[in-house]
Amino acid sequence: MNKTRFHDNGTQAVLLRQRRILMIKIISILFPFFILGAVEGLLRVFNYGHDLQLFITAPGKEDYYVLNPSASLKYFSNEQIATTGNKELFKKVKDTNSIRIFVLGESTTIGYPYFHNGSFHRWLQYRLWHNYPNKQFEIINISLTGVNSYTVAGFAKEIIPYQPDAVLIYTGHNEYYGALGAGSTDKVAGSPFMIKLVLKLRELRLTQLISNTFNKIRFLNSTTNSPADGKTRMELMVANQQIQIGSELYKRGIEQFTNNMGQALGVLDKAHIPVFISNLVSSEYDLFPFISAPVDSIKYPDFNKSYREGQDLIAKGDSIAAQKAFLSANNIFGQHAGCNYYLGLLSLNARDSVAGKAYFDNARDYDVLRFRAPSKLNEVIAQLCTRYKQAHLVDVRSVFEVNCLAHIIGESLLLEHVHPNLRGYSLMSDAFYQALKQEGILPENTVETMDYHQLRAKMPLTAVDSLSGAYKIANLKRSWPFNQGTNNDTTIINGPEEQWAYEIAFRHTSWATVMKELLTNYSRTQNWNAAAKVLSALALENPTEPVYFEEAANNYGKADNLPEAMCFFQRAFLLAPSFDKARMIFVLALQLDKPKEALPYLDYAIANNERKMELQKVRTLVLEVLVLQETIQNEPGNLHLLNQIATAYFKMGNITGASRYVDKVLEKEPKNAEALALSNQLKKA
């Protein structure tokens, strides 16, 4: 027995020793992680680094979220070239009467070079304000310049908890040279899994500390004073200037776009969130390819001879012979971008637009400096839209082609290689608007709609907006890869608007500051319509601030533009309801002969009648007008009914409405006694 007990004790001692060894091993393994965790905790306590969550509480607006300006740092390894997006607020608690739309993408999506109200989502928002006066819209553009599908996919996952009713996406041109692009200087080597792991690690403050330390050491060891060394962001982002079609790097870009956009559409589809993704547009007719693939003179010995011959013949004006020479060169080597571009021009010259378009498409796809997305990405976008039920293709490309000569996209809609001009952005907005209507995201219109042509005429864009965009593009084209002009080129300034535009373009002042300067000038000269236009622009920039809507409405009223005055008072009322706003709206609605639209605001004014005004009588007369208008639908020639409506309007003090109906009667019967009598009363009023 004693022997057995001794054996048991020995066994227990061995087991205890093994457990201790195991614990020591576990502690040894976990200790570094504990230290790292402690360091991470301390860095957070002392607020080192950046919180990379997508949204933060808006400064000074506790009830609103806004895009975190540091959110982009997750995708850029170099903080100095990281970009920030718009500051568009949305409520933490979504209103029941609100439609919330997020916009994802890159520089085109955010509206480069105009930004602000030049972007397509602002055109869309302005139209929605007019077509749905009683509906609140939150359109939050979280696009960034210099990013690609990695950022779009990451943001798509993060917006789901914020209850979007729809997501709009335009992306693809930055797939090779945007942050983490296959041919970018700002990339992570390895598989997609490794890239996603790095993105996750960048959220840690410890990783940020290591990265910042490394960048500082690299900068100190650099022979130049600036990491940028005078280069534009476009040039800084390009690592590989030649990515030939079909190459491994080319395929990697297509694959990363396919995977990332598949994930983005997949998570949104699973969350039952409708996604509207556009295909891509780029300049074809007006942009000679940046870089053509080098042609192996040994493998294709006669190509260069035929190509140079074609160039010489074009210079001499012999287009027929030039076309033959370029066709000969193209038969020898068919993937030369420049050769295809010349053939496109010559085909158009020969009035063969079908062949011309095909050659221009080839010229874009064979351009080895990939600032324009290859056509393969449009194929991927179309395929993804068939895979996911909630994904809807917005065919912006077809819209642009229809609006271009010979259906070949060029400078009539684009400023350079990929960015639309103001007309182009307006067409983009119309394409998204029609898609949202078609899929039932937008409710049925209850009032007269603003169509595309009215939108183009009324959009509150100033000459400063247009000029500042032009100056930015002119400056861009002086640098690589355009190299059009020199740095000594000067911009002629002839007036204050051009001066302000120049200062915005080169960041000497802010857009908001210039808008307020314009407003002061227009108000001083009593140009009320121009002042209202600027205030409308400020309202688009600050859609949560009722003061801009109310001031715009007041100025439109001074300009005798009653429909716009009513629209902006309605937007102001949605943000901050009040008796005075309700009163202004129902008065304007009655002056515009819209008694049905006046009634809800009249009811609000009666329920909140702080001024103790006699409004019940007005309500009775409004109901009388509604009955008379319904009756007259069946008796359009009944002049007595028209006179009754005029009388009812006169009794409620609506001289404008009464005069409108008296004029209708006298137009049909100039000697109508009842109308003439009422006309005399109106003249005395």
Side-chain angles (χ1 to χ4, degrees):
M1 292 290 291
N2 290 338
K3 203 170 186 180
T4 304
R5 278 198 299 272
F6 178 80
H7 177 74
D8 289 342
N9 289 337
T11 302
Q12 290 174 7
V14 170
L15 290 173
L16 183 60
R17 188 162 54 252
Q18 289 175 342
R19 288 185 188 130
R20 286 176 180 169
I21 293 170
L22 179 61
M23 286 299 296
I24 290 170
K25 288 181 178 179
I26 291 172
I27 291 171
S28 299
I29 293 169
L30 294 179
F31 185 71
F33 293 99
F34 172 77
I35 295 297
L36 292 173
V39 173
E40 176 71 18
L42 283 171
L43 290 172
R44 289 176 183 265
V45 167
F46 289 101
N47 291 320
Y48 178 84
H50 303 280
D51 182 352
L52 303 184
Q53 63 180 323
L54 186 56
F55 298 112
I56 58 173
T57 297
K61 288 266 192 178
E62 290 296 318
D63 295 333
Y64 289 84
Y65 286 121
V66 70
L67 176 65
N68 181 0
S70 298
S72 65
L73 297 179
K74 182 175 179 179
Y75 300 92
F76 287 87
S77 60
N78 185 348
E79 193 171 322
Q80 293 189 343
I81 59 173
T83 58
T84 56
N86 286 351
K87 296 177 181 178
E88 296 181 330
L89 281 60
F90 63 100
K91 285 188 174 182
K92 288 184 175 179
V93 180
K94 184 180 175 184
D95 290 340
T96 54
N97 186 40
S98 177
I99 292 179
R100 179 173 291 173
I101 300 172
F102 286 103
V103 184
L104 280 68
E106 48 204 44
S107 58
T108 296
T109 324
I110 203 173
Y112 179 87
Y114 309 102
F115 301 106
H116 306 290
N117 299 330
S119 65
F120 87 87
H121 81 292
R122 293 281 176 85
W123 288 84
L124 175 63
Q125 184 149 16
Y126 191 73
R127 189 173 185 179
L128 293 174
W129 283 355
H130 285 76
N131 290 350
Y132 303 94
N134 300 314
K135 196 78 178 170
Q136 191 63 274
F137 292 93
E138 294 176 311
I139 304 183
I140 309 105
N141 193 327
I142 55 174
S143 305
L144 300 169
T145 57
V147 300
N148 57 28
S149 62
Y150 276 109
T151 307
V152 171
F155 284 7
K157 296 172 187 174
E158 291 190 67
I159 62 175
I160 292 172
Y162 298 95
Q163 301 175 279
D165 294 292
V167 176
L168 314 183
I169 299 176
Y170 183 93
T171 190
H173 286 305
N174 287 350
E175 208 52 41
Y176 288 93
Y177 300 133
L180 300 172
S184 171
T185 56
D186 196 349
K187 63 184 176 183
V188 177
S191 66
F193 170 79
M194 284 301 300
I195 294 172
K196 287 169 187 174
L197 177 61
V198 169
L199 290 176
K200 197 66 182 173
L201 289 173
R202 283 180 181 173
E203 296 177 8
L204 300 175
R205 309 302 172 88
L206 181 57
T207 307
Q208 294 175 31
L209 174 63
I210 295 169
S211 177
N212 290 341
T213 303
F214 174 75
N215 285 333
K216 285 179 182 178
I217 294 171
R218 185 173 60 176
F219 176 69
L220 290 172
N221 292 332
S222 173
T223 56
T224 60
N225 293 325
S226 169
D229 198 24
K231 297 178 180 178
T232 63
R233 180 179 283 111
M234 285 181 74
E235 194 167 359
L236 286 169
M237 295 292 286
V238 175
N240 193 321
Q241 293 187 17
Q242 294 193 21
I243 304 176
Q244 294 192 33
I245 194 166
S247 67
E248 286 304 312
L249 203 54
Y250 173 87
K251 292 176 183 176
R252 197 183 308 164
I254 302 297
E255 184 179 355
Q256 82 177 25
F257 182 83
T258 305
N259 292 339
N260 288 335
M261 295 313 300
Q263 288 176 22
L265 298 182
V267 295
L268 294 169
D269 187 79
K270 189 175 180 181
H272 305 289
I273 297 170
V275 186
F276 296 83
I277 180 169
S278 169
N279 48 20
L280 301 161
V281 297
S282 57
S283 184
E284 298 162 5
Y285 178 77
D286 295 297
L287 182 71
F288 192 83
F290 290 118
I291 301 177
S292 298
V295 180
D296 188 333
S297 58
I298 296 175
K299 191 174 181 180
Y300 307 104
D302 296 325
F303 175 85
N304 287 328
K305 178 184 175 183
S306 297
Y307 184 73
R308 283 195 296 268
E309 182 184 351
Q311 289 179 309
D312 291 340
L313 289 166
I314 280 184
K316 293 174 182 177
D318 191 345
S319 58
I320 295 175
Q323 187 172 25
K324 290 180 181 178
F326 282 120
L327 281 171
S328 176
N330 198 53
N331 288 332
I332 296 168
F333 180 75
Q335 294 188 8
H336 190 274
C339 186
N340 276 274
Y341 183 82
Y342 282 126
L343 284 169
L345 288 177
L346 292 165
S347 296
L348 284 187
N349 189 59
R351 300 191 177 184
D352 187 349
S353 60
V354 175
K357 179 168 175 51
Y359 283 123
F360 282 128
D361 284 343
N362 287 340
R364 179 200 56 240
D365 285 354
Y366 295 145
D367 188 343
V368 296
L369 183 61
R370 299 211 170 271
F371 280 122
R372 294 178 292 174
S375 56
K376 181 65 178 177
L377 292 196
N378 277 342
E379 294 176 19
V380 171
I381 291 168
Q383 290 165 3
L384 289 172
C385 287
T386 63
R387 187 185 306 172
Y388 297 103
K389 183 179 179 181
Q390 296 292 340
H392 308 285
L393 178 65
V394 181
D395 195 358
V396 168
R397 181 170 178 80
S398 291
V399 170
F400 272 47
E401 287 175 344
V402 166
N403 285 275
C404 286
L405 185 66
H407 293 185
I408 299 172
I409 301 171
E411 64 182 6
S412 64
L413 294 178
L414 294 177
L415 294 164
E416 16 72 344
H417 58 313
V418 293
H419 298 109
N421 57 24
L422 290 172
R423 181 170 173 242
Y425 278 122
S426 72
L427 287 169
M428 280 185 70
S429 79
D430 185 56
F432 276 99
Y433 177 82
Q434 300 301 338
L436 288 166
K437 279 188 69 176
Q438 183 176 334
E439 296 302 325
I441 304 301
L442 302 178
E444 290 294 323
N445 294 87
T446 56
V447 296
E448 183 180 355
T449 61
M450 172 184 274
D451 63 23
Y452 171 72
H453 298 290
Q454 290 169 322
L455 173 66
R456 285 273 293 149
K458 295 181 179 180
M459 184 68 183
L461 287 160
T462 67
V464 170
D465 293 299
S466 180
L467 284 168
S468 65
Y471 293 155
K472 287 177 188 175
I473 292 299
N475 188 55
L476 176 72
K477 287 184 175 180
R478 283 197 287 266
S479 59
W480 183 89
F482 300 96
N483 298 321
Q484 297 178 9
T486 68
N487 291 330
N488 294 323
D489 289 346
T490 57
T491 300
I492 298 172
I493 306 296
N494 290 320
E497 289 183 333
E498 292 177 347
Q499 182 63 45
W500 283 326
Y502 181 87
E503 290 176 0
I504 291 173
F506 295 96
R507 300 184 181 181
H508 298 153
T509 190
S510 70
W511 178 87
T513 298
V514 170
M515 289 300 110
K516 288 170 184 176
E517 290 278 0
L518 280 173
L519 178 60
T520 300
N521 281 4
Y522 292 141
S523 298
R524 186 170 54 245
T525 58
Q526 297 188 359
N527 187 343
W528 305 122
N529 200 55
K533 188 176 183 180
V534 173
L535 284 159
S536 301
L538 287 167
L540 272 168
E541 185 80 0
N542 305 276
T544 62
E545 300 294 335
V547 62
Y548 292 114
F549 293 95
E550 195 165 357
E551 285 301 308
N554 285 326
N555 278 268
Y556 277 126
K558 291 176 184 177
D560 202 30
N561 190 339
L562 301 190
E564 288 299 297
M566 180 175 165
C567 172
F568 279 87
F569 270 126
Q570 286 175 306
R571 305 313 307 179
F573 182 86
L574 275 175
L575 291 170
S578 69
F579 171 84
D580 286 335
K581 293 190 195 81
R583 179 171 173 269
M584 288 301 302
I585 295 167
F586 80 69
V587 167
L588 287 167
L590 292 173
Q591 288 179 333
L592 292 166
D593 193 27
K594 296 179 177 180
K596 189 174 181 180
E597 291 180 45
L599 198 56
Y601 297 99
L602 179 56
D603 288 340
Y604 178 92
I606 291 170
N608 298 273
N609 193 355
E610 55 197 39
R611 297 195 184 181
K612 309 299 181 186
M613 297 179 69
E614 180 53 57
L615 297 176
Q616 285 292 350
K617 182 180 178 182
V618 175
R619 190 178 193 279
T620 301
L621 290 167
V622 169
L623 293 174
E624 181 182 329
V625 169
L626 285 169
V627 172
L628 289 167
Q629 285 183 337
E630 189 174 340
T631 304
I632 211 168
Q633 294 296 319
N634 300 319
E635 303 177 52
N638 192 326
L639 301 185
H640 177 62
L641 290 175
L642 293 175
N643 278 321
Q644 282 186 290
I645 294 174
T647 301
Y649 273 146
F650 179 69
K651 287 179 180 178
M652 67 176 75
N654 181 9
I655 305 302
T656 303
S659 299
R660 178 182 286 109
Y661 278 88
V662 167
D663 290 344
K664 286 182 180 180
V665 174
L666 293 177
E667 185 180 346
K668 294 181 178 180
E669 190 179 296
K671 294 183 179 181
N672 185 284
E674 191 177 359
L676 288 170
L678 188 52
S679 177
N680 288 330
Q681 288 181 279
L682 289 170
K683 289 174 184 177
K684 296 175 184 178

